[in-house]
Amino acid sequence: MALATYRDALNQALREEMSRDEDVFLIGEEVAEYDGAYKVSKGLLDEFGEWRVRDAPIAELGFAGLGVGAAMTGLRPIVEFMTWNFALLAMDQIINSAAKLYQMSGGQYNVPIVFRGPGGAALMLASQHSQSPEPWYAYVPGLKVCSPATPYDAKGLLKSAVRDNDPVVFIEGELLYNIKGEVPDEEYLVPIGAADVKRAGDGLTIVSYGKMVHTALDAAEKLAAEDGLEAEVIDLRTVRPLDIATVVTSVRKTNRALVVEEGWPVANIGAQLVDDIQREAFDSLDAPVARVTGLDVPMPYARNLEKIVVPSVETVLRAARQVSYIS
Amino acid sequence: MALATYRDALNQALREEMSRDEDVFLIGEEVAEYDGAYKVSKGLLDEFGEWRVRDAPIAELGFAGLGVGAAMTGLRPIVEFMTWNFALLAMDQIINSAAKLYQMSGGQYNVPIVFRGPGGAALMLASQHSQSPEPWYAYVPGLKVCSPATPYDAKGLLKSAVRDNDPVVFIEGELLYNIKGEVPDEEYLVPIGAADVKRAGDGLTIVSYGKMVHTALDAAEKLAAEDGLEAEVIDLRTVRPLDIATVVTSVRKTNRALVVEEGWPVANIGAQLVDDIQREAFDSLDAPVARVTGLDVPMPYARNLEKIVVPSVETVLRAARQVSYIS
Amino acid sequence: MATRQSRTQEGETGTDREAERKPDFLGLEPENLKSLLRLMILARRFEEKAAESYQLGKIGGFLHLYIGQEAVAAGAITALREDDFVISAYREHAQALVRGVAARAVMAELYGRADGCSKGMGGSMHLYDRSVNFMGGHGIVGSHLPIAAGVGYAIRYRKQDRVCLCFLGDAAVNIGAFHEALNMAAKWELPVIYIIENNEYGMGTGIDRTAAISDLVDRACAFEGMASEQVDGMDVLKMRAATERAVRLAREEHRPSLLEAITYRYMGHSMADPSHGTYRSREEVERWRGDDPIVSFSDRLIATGLMTGQGYEEMDQAAIEEVEEAAEFAEASPRPDESHIYDLVYSDEYPHGADRRDSWR
Amino acid sequence: MATRQSRTQEGETGTDREAERKPDFLGLEPENLKSLLRLMILARRFEEKAAESYQLGKIGGFLHLYIGQEAVAAGAITALREDDFVISAYREHAQALVRGVAARAVMAELYGRADGCSKGMGGSMHLYDRSVNFMGGHGIVGSHLPIAAGVGYAIRYRKQDRVCLCFLGDAAVNIGAFHEALNMAAKWELPVIYIIENNEYGMGTGIDRTAAISDLVDRACAFEGMASEQVDGMDVLKMRAATERAVRLAREEHRPSLLEAITYRYMGHSMADPSHGTYRSREEVERWRGDDPIVSFSDRLIATGLMTGQGYEEMDQAAIEEVEEAAEFAEASPRPDESHIYDLVYSDEYPHGADRRDSWR
Ligand SMILES: Cc1ncc(C[n+]2csc(CCOP(=O)(O)OP(=O)(O)O)c2C)c(N)n1
Ligand SMILES: Cc1ncc(C[n+]2csc(CCOP(=O)(O)OP(=O)(O)O)c2C)c(N)n1
Ligand SMILES: [Mg+2]
Ligand SMILES: [Mg+2]
């Protein structure tokens, strides 16, 4: 076990998978000579050459589609979006091509492709650069959607995504690249579609994914210290498919649930979880499932506003107490 | 009151608003000389001329963006997408430009624009042409999203959308264009954000929108006839913002709720309704909120498969009985 | 368009014929020449049958007929090797047939049956057959252009000498994907041949009303390294010759091409659209019908003694029988099994999927 | 690039100067000439101050500096009328200042304050000022190109003789929106002038590595009716002259233009990016610094006796004072009121909105 940043963990996953399988290649803006806008692809150009680490023109729709075509011939492209905000330009290729080709072709053309890049708010990047795209893709059958919170999960999940034979939307945390965590020296995989209990507890179930897992964990510590309430914190890791079983098992034990996510409040991942929880654990619920989300506004630039738009330990605490009837 | 088709009702709305306000114009593929792929813009070119009824090149991103620019100068563009499936190419303009400009500009540039066209499955158009886009847009603050079920609502809501000073995503039912309904001779508006009780009842609340409202109503009749259960059928008409008050009032009365929609099952409008209902009517619920959605698959071409993917009166009936504990 | 005029005249005077015979038959064996004709006739008869079945309600959804454009598919696709790739939009019946997808498999697909080339999942707009590298069948205008570039990228990636042939409609030259795809193909020297089938209209809109350029092929000017050529799309041999030139550039020099085939569709945009009406006159359609690619080519084969009138009749009869048999096959083919509705969403495992995806069932 | 070479040499020899003086001063009044210089100096000093404030953490997010490119904004925007429109991408401080947005309002925006030109909601990438028709400030590459076409459409719609000036970066010529926008502008004869600011790089990638064309301006070839011209973007008068020509075409003939300004950014892509490093050498940056648009233009004004060295000093001092005052103003301006967080999402009524949007609060 060695400490590695989320960025390096992803870099290791890319290097390992590209070394293991010469059909794997990376394409995106600035990924080659510049080592990636966030340096995730550092050193890969030198190691694998320009055909396997390709600097793309600013043409998200075009290079996403190029990836789909290459995948149809059996290659395993990793398409990097500098950030997921720009992928709105490529949605047609992700949703109308990648997600549908396997079925549309009667099972002849599967599309082993990974679309990856950072999502969520960073610091004062304003509305066009601060969006959480998970719900847009989680809605779509044919796609799998991952959003890891730790270096360990980032590496293990990305390696699984590259080996998956279907399109995977892989959303990294723009503010997580620098966080450090344990990463095993030996090879390992984290399965797609498996949630992980990041903190055990019986007082309340807090479900989250991506960056917000850390906020949830901090809130859980405060809750334990200040209210003696032990929250169980579940990291979904994958938002399509959702590992409802793990969530429901926990809720049956704690009888209270709180879902925390960074995105907008409507028709999102949390809403889906509430639907699943209330249906599968209806009689176990002592209170309505609570939710903490980003505010229902485009992200303002001003730091003081950005702070109140993104969920904080305080807002999570407040909601956790509400749902636990602690005032 | 005269009978009119959903298509004619929309055509009337366009004609009336364009006559009332010369800043209103229509742009899209085939809208002018061809009268629109679904003939919704019939006769408008002759009446208003090419600058106000403009045939666009196949460039969804481009003409959606052109609409945004025109709207920034105070014009009121109505951008027609031949179908919403193609709007996946224009999402960047709808979400990154139209929805954000008012806030991003500190309130200087509002964007009075309507994006409209048919959505949902028609008959055997296969996966790329059979999608329900509502959840993608309902997630986004800055947008309003309408999806009318009847000629009356289609006309009244479209007129309100054209007069609204912010971007409105207006999703018509591809299979509804030919249905007939009462449309007043005198002018009227249907407010955005107001649900409508299409059938009164106290046995169960069925919430739906768009095409599925008709399926829900048919199921309600059967339920009354066969089980003596009077379902209240609520037509949301607008899915952003959601008129939760109307829904909750009904559920407090019936104690049971079923949400019916055509789209895929995950992170959709129904999930959001479950979230709102369980939070605001928790103690009134005698059973988990039930849901009927399209199956979690891209739409297959074969008619026998398409039939089981789209919710039917039978599937709605089954779910209604389940949630009412009738076997 | 000048090019059109000259084209329509040419081949009509006996002298032209003489002059052309040698250069125009491209030194092809009589057998190859006849097979070109056979493919065009098969495509024509196939679609006539499909139209009939559509009227009878045996085929649903959108059905876009290619009738009138057969010379483009026949001339272009026969210039390829078996290991090359073909990709197209939604007006692709003829392209699939010429590429070698069995008529019965295509017809069964239109009927939405399990034996269809896409197992009844795709229908007319989404024909696929991996065994002959036929990659569809794409319904979003322009979406397959970057995909074709990706196929070209994979060819270079694997250091192969294969090529990818990509058909697009005239109206697709206005969409961003066209620009993005051609830029990448040119910049990275991808062996892709883009063939614009300029049938003058995108649905009911004349291309001259939406594209700010007279000759669509000239859009290649924006991409250095992109070869380009405008071709008479009603002449199967000219299509074959031009495509062979482009294939050679792609195979030997990794040089992409943009070809513009001047052609015309005799039927409406789809079965919902009349063959003539508001946007084009009966006269215009008739004028182009006078230049039928099948008639003009068979006339030439007969005039030059390469085929007899009876030989033509037999060929036509054989095609009619093939499509009739295909229709019977489609009719008899089972509908896709409903219990397998989830099987083709993911090729790989999908944890806790279908079982709880719709627990309301 | 040939054009670059010729440009870099020219203006360095006294004789050139003589030759150029008359034609190049465009018959502008000394006052106008000085104001061009003043605007460039203001932009330069403003950004130097902004960089300093960014280092001090007073400004957040992305900050893209324009230093080195000032002649483009100053030459182009001053060729407009007050009622014309200007729209740009995210590297737009100088364009906003030249257009007449108050330095204090721009600085306050960068500081994220209520008195910012976008009320602190947009920041550096999203500057807006409707009072001078400055339409932003767009962060998605290429997204403002169709928007500019829409402004042009609105001008024609209202039968006005205004024009829209749209700035874009070199790397934006590869995105689909560029193609779709220019096609519409050309086809519908929209009075829009697209100015590519070719500073050779899109972030760390040389444009020659991603665009399959040597002279970006040549992409106009794909759109009939689109005028085009490559301009020395380091020479404010050449920019002014070329833009005036394009404005005349747009205003009088509804003819759109694509101009390519050859220029260079002296600083990194953004504050996060060093001014030189992996993708370009210190020498390259130095070479271009030797061609500083402010230095060369002030030299000419002085050499031709239109301004004294002291006059220059005073002008520079005034600019420094203006930006210092702007910084103080920004510093003193209040942060946006948190209780109004929902007020700018919708301009119109939004039924049952904020109150239940986040009932968990
Ligand atoms: C992006 C997109 N926009 C609109 C449509 C609807 N549509 C289907 S075919 C067509 C016309 C295409 O014309 P052309 O490219 O010339 O091909 P042709 O039909 O003539 O073969 C349109 C607008 C679509 N399928 N995709
Ligand atoms: C669609 C899109 N893709 C990627 C980005 C990230 N990005 C921001 S600036 C930039 C480079 C743009 O270069 P250029 O157009 O030359 O403008 P310059 O920065 O040189 O002024 C990129 C890739 C973006 N903002 N939008
Ligand atoms: Mg066409
Ligand atoms: Mg640049």
Side-chain angles (χ1 to χ4, degrees):
Chain A
M1 281 296 224
L3 271 188
T5 61
Y6 187 93
R7 169 186 292 104
D8 294 338
L10 290 166
N11 181 268
Q12 288 172 24
L14 292 173
R15 178 173 280 101
E16 288 175 17
E17 291 307 297
M18 290 179 75
S19 311
R20 183 188 59 80
D21 180 350
E22 62 183 19
D23 286 341
V24 178
F25 73 95
L26 177 68
I27 182 167
E29 294 150 10
E30 308 290 326
V31 298
E33 292 200 356
Y34 200 72
D35 285 333
Y38 295 90
K39 306 301 173 193
V40 170
S41 52
K42 198 166 200 309
L44 298 182
L45 171 64
D46 299 341
E47 193 168 338
F48 300 102
E50 69 170 355
W51 281 92
R52 297 190 64 190
V53 185
R54 175 67 72 179
D55 278 326
I58 303 180
E60 278 74 8
L61 181 68
F63 65 77
L66 181 144
V68 171
M72 286 176 80
T73 72
L75 291 184
R76 294 180 165 274
I78 300 170
V79 173
E80 174 174 316
F81 293 118
M82 192 174 286
T83 83
W84 275 97
N85 302 289
F86 315 137
L88 280 169
L89 287 160
M91 272 184 120
D92 176 63
Q93 286 294 347
I94 299 171
I95 293 172
N96 277 328
S97 296
K100 295 176 171 51
L101 270 161
Y102 183 62
Q103 191 218 48
M104 209 159 69
S105 67
Q108 294 177 86
Y109 286 101
N110 63 308
V111 183
I113 189 170
V114 176
F115 298 103
R116 54 160 290 273
L123 287 172
M124 299 180 75
L125 300 187
S127 61
Q128 292 187 325
H129 285 73
S130 310
Q131 304 175 82
S132 299
E134 295 80 5
W136 286 318
Y137 301 103
Y139 178 57
V140 184
L143 298 179
K144 294 169 183 172
V145 184
C146 303
S147 186
T150 67
Y152 178 93
D153 291 335
K155 178 177 180 180
L157 266 175
L158 182 53
K159 285 168 67 79
S160 295
V162 172
R163 298 179 192 198
D164 197 279
N165 293 316
D166 299 313
V168 177
V169 165
F170 196 91
I171 301 161
E172 299 154 14
E174 191 161 344
L175 285 184
L176 294 179
Y177 287 126
N178 291 326
I179 66 159
K180 283 205 170 61
E182 293 288 339
V183 174
D185 307 319
E186 61 285 354
E187 172 164 78
Y188 69 97
L189 296 173
V190 170
I192 290 174
D196 181 46
V197 177
K198 287 275 192 292
R199 183 185 196 281
D202 53 15
L204 157 74
T205 300
I206 303 180
V207 187
S208 190
Y209 67 87
K211 190 203 313 179
M212 283 298 124
V213 168
H214 302 281
T215 308
L217 286 168
D218 294 347
E221 290 312 315
K222 270 212 158 99
L223 212 54
E226 300 174 14
D227 309 85
L229 188 70
E230 293 300 336
E232 183 146 288
V233 178
I234 296 176
D235 175 1
L236 292 167
R237 299 198 291 196
T238 298
V239 297
R240 179 182 258 270
L242 281 167
D243 181 358
I244 296 304
T246 300
V247 173
V248 168
T249 306
S250 174
V251 174
R252 291 227 173 89
K253 175 178 65 179
T254 66
N255 308 113
R256 295 172 191 282
L258 165 64
V259 188
V260 180
E261 71 193 295
E262 183 183 333
W264 295 308
V266 180
N268 54 8
I269 306 301
Q272 183 55 47
L273 281 165
V274 172
D275 171 41
D276 290 312
I277 293 171
Q278 67 97 36
R279 183 168 52 249
E280 301 190 21
F282 189 70
D283 300 326
S284 319
L285 286 173
D286 288 349
V289 180
R291 304 222 281 131
V292 170
T293 71
L295 295 199
D296 201 19
V297 305
M299 184 65 74
Y301 166 72
R303 183 64 184 139
N304 64 315
L305 298 184
E306 184 176 58
K307 272 207 185 106
I308 64 170
V309 169
V310 178
S312 63
V313 171
E314 290 59 43
T315 49
V316 174
L317 259 180
R318 199 175 312 135
R321 285 169 179 153
Q322 255 180 37
V323 72
S324 310
Y325 300 142
I326 299 169
S327 45
Chain B
M1 278 298 217
L3 270 186
T5 61
Y6 189 92
R7 168 185 295 106
D8 293 338
L10 290 166
N11 181 268
Q12 288 171 24
L14 292 173
R15 177 172 282 102
E16 288 175 17
E17 291 307 299
M18 289 179 76
S19 309
R20 185 188 57 80
D21 181 350
E22 63 183 20
D23 287 341
V24 178
F25 74 95
L26 177 69
I27 183 168
E29 294 151 9
E30 309 290 326
V31 299
E33 292 200 356
Y34 199 73
D35 285 335
Y38 296 89
K39 307 301 173 191
V40 170
S41 52
K42 199 164 197 312
L44 299 181
L45 172 63
D46 298 341
E47 194 169 336
F48 301 102
E50 68 169 356
W51 281 92
R52 296 190 64 190
V53 184
R54 176 67 73 179
D55 279 325
I58 304 179
E60 279 74 10
L61 181 67
F63 65 77
L66 180 143
V68 171
M72 287 176 79
T73 73
L75 291 184
R76 294 179 165 275
I78 300 170
V79 173
E80 173 174 317
F81 294 117
M82 192 175 286
T83 82
W84 275 97
N85 302 290
F86 315 135
L88 280 168
L89 286 160
M91 275 185 117
D92 176 64
Q93 286 295 347
I94 299 171
I95 293 173
N96 277 330
S97 297
K100 296 177 171 51
L101 270 161
Y102 182 62
Q103 190 217 48
M104 211 159 69
S105 66
Q108 294 177 86
Y109 287 100
N110 63 308
V111 183
I113 189 169
V114 176
F115 297 103
R116 54 160 291 273
L123 287 172
M124 301 180 73
L125 300 188
S127 62
Q128 292 186 325
H129 285 74
S130 311
Q131 303 175 82
S132 299
E134 295 81 5
W136 286 318
Y137 302 103
Y139 178 55
V140 184
L143 299 179
K144 293 169 185 172
V145 184
C146 303
S147 186
T150 66
Y152 178 93
D153 291 336
K155 179 176 179 179
L157 265 175
L158 183 52
K159 285 167 67 78
S160 295
V162 172
R163 298 181 192 196
D164 197 280
N165 293 316
D166 299 313
V168 177
V169 165
F170 196 90
I171 300 161
E172 299 154 15
E174 191 162 342
L175 285 184
L176 293 179
Y177 286 126
N178 291 326
I179 66 160
K180 285 205 168 63
E182 294 287 338
V183 174
D185 307 318
E186 60 284 357
E187 172 164 78
Y188 69 97
L189 297 174
V190 170
I192 291 174
D196 181 45
V197 177
K198 288 274 193 290
R199 182 186 196 281
D202 53 16
L204 158 74
T205 300
I206 303 181
V207 188
S208 190
Y209 67 87
K211 189 202 316 177
M212 284 298 126
V213 168
H214 302 281
T215 308
L217 285 169
D218 294 347
E221 290 313 315
K222 269 208 157 104
L223 213 53
E226 300 173 13
D227 309 83
L229 189 69
E230 293 300 336
E232 182 147 287
V233 178
I234 296 176
D235 176 359
L236 294 168
R237 298 196 293 194
T238 298
V239 297
R240 179 181 260 270
L242 281 167
D243 180 358
I244 296 304
T246 299
V247 173
V248 168
T249 306
S250 175
V251 174
R252 290 229 174 86
K253 177 177 66 180
T254 64
N255 309 115
R256 295 170 191 284
L258 165 63
V259 188
V260 181
E261 71 193 294
E262 183 183 335
W264 296 308
V266 180
N268 54 7
I269 306 301
Q272 183 55 47
L273 281 166
V274 173
D275 170 42
D276 289 311
I277 294 171
Q278 66 96 38
R279 183 169 53 247
E280 301 190 22
F282 189 70
D283 299 325
S284 321
L285 286 173
D286 289 349
V289 180
R291 302 221 284 132
V292 170
T293 71
L295 295 198
D296 201 19
V297 304
M299 183 64 73
Y301 166 72
R303 183 66 183 136
N304 65 314
L305 297 184
E306 184 177 59
K307 272 210 187 103
I308 64 172
V309 170
V310 178
S312 64
V313 172
E314 290 60 43
T315 49
V316 174
L317 260 179
R318 199 175 311 138
R321 286 169 177 153
Q322 255 181 36
V323 73
S324 309
Y325 300 142
I326 299 170
S327 45
Chain C
M1 242 192 205
T3 50
R4 289 210 172 75
Q5 276 327 310
S6 57
R7 180 181 43 63
T8 324
Q9 273 136 32
E10 140 203 322
E12 276 162 11
T13 70
T15 54
D16 268 15
R17 279 272 167 63
E18 307 312 320
E20 281 180 354
R21 195 177 304 165
K22 276 270 130 319
D24 260 21
F25 282 169
L26 317 172
L28 286 173
E29 293 306 316
E31 275 328 298
N32 302 117
L33 293 168
K34 284 195 213 146
S35 110
L36 284 176
L37 179 62
R38 200 184 55 69
L39 290 167
M40 290 197 284
I41 293 173
L42 174 64
R44 177 74 55 97
R45 292 305 190 186
F46 179 93
E47 289 198 315
E48 287 168 353
K49 182 66 187 180
E52 180 188 315
S53 299
Y54 190 90
Q55 305 295 11
L56 296 172
K58 295 170 185 294
I59 295 174
F62 292 141
L63 187 72
H64 307 92
L65 302 182
Y66 194 73
I67 293 176
Q69 305 180 206
E70 293 90 348
V72 183
I77 296 172
T78 54
L80 299 179
R81 264 185 355 210
E82 273 196 356
D83 63 346
D84 292 329
F85 301 89
V86 179
I87 187 166
S88 181
Y90 49 81
R91 193 182 298 285
E92 87 286 27
H93 306 142
Q95 293 152 0
L97 293 169
V98 171
R99 183 54 179 175
V101 185
R104 44 163 55 189
V106 177
M107 191 66 82
E109 188 57 37
L110 303 192
Y111 276 57
R113 303 305 173 94
D115 298 307
C117 59
S118 302
K119 294 213 174 81
M121 308 303 275
S124 165
M125 299 190 288
H126 308 301
L127 304 175
Y128 292 83
D129 186 343
R130 196 160 195 164
S131 69
V132 295
N133 295 320
F134 191 76
M135 306 180 78
H138 297 262
I140 308 298
V141 167
S143 69
H144 62 300
L145 308 186
I147 291 175
V151 174
Y153 193 90
I155 291 169
R156 291 294 313 278
Y157 189 96
R158 297 188 168 112
K159 302 192 169 47
Q160 301 169 327
D161 70 345
R162 302 157 86 179
V163 308
C164 178
L165 190 58
C166 176
F167 294 94
L168 57 137
D170 46 281
V173 303
N174 292 326
I175 202 152
F178 170 84
H179 180 78
E180 297 186 1
L182 268 65
N183 182 59
M184 293 189 294
K187 190 70 206 175
W188 297 329
E189 302 178 327
L190 309 179
V192 184
I193 297 139
Y194 289 101
I195 299 186
I196 302 169
E197 298 198 62
N198 184 353
N199 57 14
E200 290 197 22
Y201 298 91
M203 283 185 128
T205 304
I207 186 61
D208 54 329
R209 294 184 47 236
T210 56
I213 192 151
S214 315
D215 291 321
L216 306 184
V217 67
D218 293 342
R219 287 219 155 144
C221 69
F223 314 100
E224 279 163 17
M226 177 76 50
S228 66
E229 183 176 347
Q230 192 178 58
V231 195
D232 174 357
M234 302 305 265
D235 182 325
V236 68
L237 292 177
K238 291 220 179 87
M239 274 311 305
R240 171 72 172 256
T243 310
E244 280 177 354
R245 285 188 286 274
V247 166
R248 203 170 307 117
L249 284 176
R251 219 186 281 295
E252 292 162 18
E253 301 171 31
H254 307 308
R255 184 129 181 247
S257 292
L258 178 67
L259 304 186
E260 177 187 6
I262 305 300
T263 182
Y264 199 79
R265 71 169 148 75
Y266 293 161
M267 317 304 283
H269 167 72
S270 72
M271 294 302 285
D273 178 47
S275 74
H276 56 80
T278 50
Y279 66 91
R280 63 183 195 180
S281 67
R282 173 191 297 274
E283 294 61 41
E284 177 181 309
V285 178
E286 283 317 312
R287 196 163 66 252
W288 280 90
R289 276 192 177 276
D291 190 33
D292 189 309
I294 295 180
V295 175
S296 59
F297 188 56
S298 56
D299 284 356
R300 272 164 73 185
L301 292 185
I302 291 167
T304 50
L306 285 162
M307 191 173 71
T308 63
Q310 179 179 1
Y312 176 83
E313 289 311 324
E314 285 162 11
M315 191 181 271
D316 189 33
Q317 204 46 49
I320 290 172
E321 278 154 28
E322 185 172 352
V323 302
E324 284 302 331
E325 186 278 335
E328 284 156 28
F329 173 82
E331 192 76 64
S333 174
R335 298 182 188 284
D337 184 338
E338 297 167 17
S339 68
H340 293 84
I341 184 83
Y342 290 111
D343 296 358
L344 294 176
V345 183
Y346 298 93
S347 70
D348 212 333
E349 127 192 54
Y350 187 72
H352 20 257
D355 48 317
R356 61 154 286 280
R357 272 202 204 110
D358 31 51
S359 44
W360 51 265
R361 302 206 94 215
Chain D
M1 243 194 207
T3 49
R4 293 211 169 76
Q5 278 326 311
S6 58
R7 180 180 45 59
T8 324
Q9 276 136 27
E10 133 205 327
E12 276 165 9
T13 70
T15 55
D16 270 11
R17 279 271 168 63
E18 307 310 324
E20 278 178 354
R21 194 177 304 167
K22 275 271 133 317
D24 260 20
F25 282 172
L26 315 173
L28 286 172
E29 293 306 316
E31 274 329 297
N32 301 116
L33 292 168
K34 283 199 209 138
S35 109
L36 283 175
L37 178 62
R38 200 184 55 70
L39 289 167
M40 290 197 284
I41 293 174
L42 174 64
R44 177 74 58 95
R45 292 304 192 188
F46 179 93
E47 288 198 314
E48 287 168 353
K49 183 64 187 181
E52 179 189 313
S53 299
Y54 190 90
Q55 306 293 14
L56 294 173
K58 296 172 186 291
I59 295 174
F62 292 139
L63 187 72
H64 306 93
L65 301 182
Y66 194 75
I67 293 176
Q69 305 180 208
E70 293 91 347
V72 182
I77 295 173
T78 55
L80 299 179
R81 259 180 8 204
E82 272 196 359
D83 62 346
D84 293 329
F85 300 90
V86 179
I87 187 166
S88 181
Y90 48 82
R91 192 181 299 283
E92 87 285 28
H93 307 142
Q95 293 153 358
L97 294 169
V98 171
R99 183 54 179 175
V101 186
R104 44 164 52 187
V106 177
M107 191 65 84
E109 188 58 35
L110 303 191
Y111 276 57
R113 305 304 174 94
D115 298 305
C117 60
S118 302
K119 295 214 173 82
M121 308 304 276
S124 165
M125 298 191 288
H126 308 300
L127 304 174
Y128 293 83
D129 187 342
R130 196 162 194 161
S131 70
V132 295
N133 296 321
F134 191 77
M135 305 181 78
H138 298 262
I140 308 298
V141 167
S143 69
H144 62 300
L145 308 186
I147 291 175
V151 175
Y153 193 88
I155 291 169
R156 290 297 310 278
Y157 189 96
R158 297 188 168 110
K159 303 192 170 46
Q160 300 169 327
D161 70 344
R162 302 156 85 178
V163 307
C164 178
L165 190 60
C166 176
F167 294 94
L168 57 137
D170 46 281
V173 304
N174 292 325
I175 201 152
F178 170 83
H179 180 76
E180 297 186 358
L182 268 64
N183 182 58
M184 294 188 294
K187 191 69 205 174
W188 298 329
E189 301 178 328
L190 308 180
V192 184
I193 297 138
Y194 290 100
I195 299 185
I196 303 169
E197 299 198 60
N198 185 352
N199 58 14
E200 289 195 23
Y201 298 91
M203 287 188 124
T205 305
I207 186 62
D208 54 328
R209 293 185 47 238
T210 56
I213 192 152
S214 317
D215 290 322
L216 306 183
V217 68
D218 293 342
R219 287 225 154 137
C221 70
F223 313 100
E224 280 164 17
M226 176 77 50
S228 66
E229 184 177 345
Q230 192 178 57
V231 194
D232 174 357
M234 302 304 268
D235 182 326
V236 67
L237 292 177
K238 291 219 179 86
M239 273 312 304
R240 171 72 173 255
T243 310
E244 280 176 353
R245 283 188 288 275
V247 166
R248 204 170 305 115
L249 284 175
R251 218 186 283 292
E252 292 163 17
E253 302 170 29
H254 308 308
R255 186 134 177 246
S257 292
L258 178 66
L259 302 186
E260 177 186 6
I262 305 300
T263 182
Y264 199 80
R265 70 171 148 74
Y266 293 160
M267 317 303 285
H269 167 74
S270 72
M271 295 301 287
D273 177 48
S275 75
H276 56 81
T278 50
Y279 65 92
R280 61 182 197 181
S281 66
R282 170 190 301 274
E283 294 61 38
E284 178 181 309
V285 179
E286 284 316 315
R287 196 165 65 250
W288 280 90
R289 276 191 175 279
D291 190 32
D292 189 312
I294 295 179
V295 175
S296 58
F297 187 56
S298 58
D299 283 356
R300 274 163 72 184
L301 291 185
I302 292 167
T304 50
L306 285 163
M307 191 171 75
T308 65
Q310 177 177 4
Y312 175 84
E313 289 311 324
E314 286 163 8
M315 191 180 276
D316 188 35
Q317 204 44 50
I320 290 171
E321 276 156 28
E322 185 171 352
V323 304
E324 285 301 333
E325 186 278 335
E328 282 156 30
F329 173 82
E331 191 76 65
S333 174
R335 299 182 187 285
D337 184 338
E338 296 166 18
S339 69
H340 292 103
I341 185 81
Y342 290 110
D343 296 359
L344 294 176
V345 183
Y346 298 93
S347 70
D348 212 332
E349 160 197 18
Y350 186 72
H352 19 259
D355 47 316
R356 63 152 285 280
R357 271 201 206 112
D358 33 52
S359 44
W360 50 265
R361 305 207 91 216

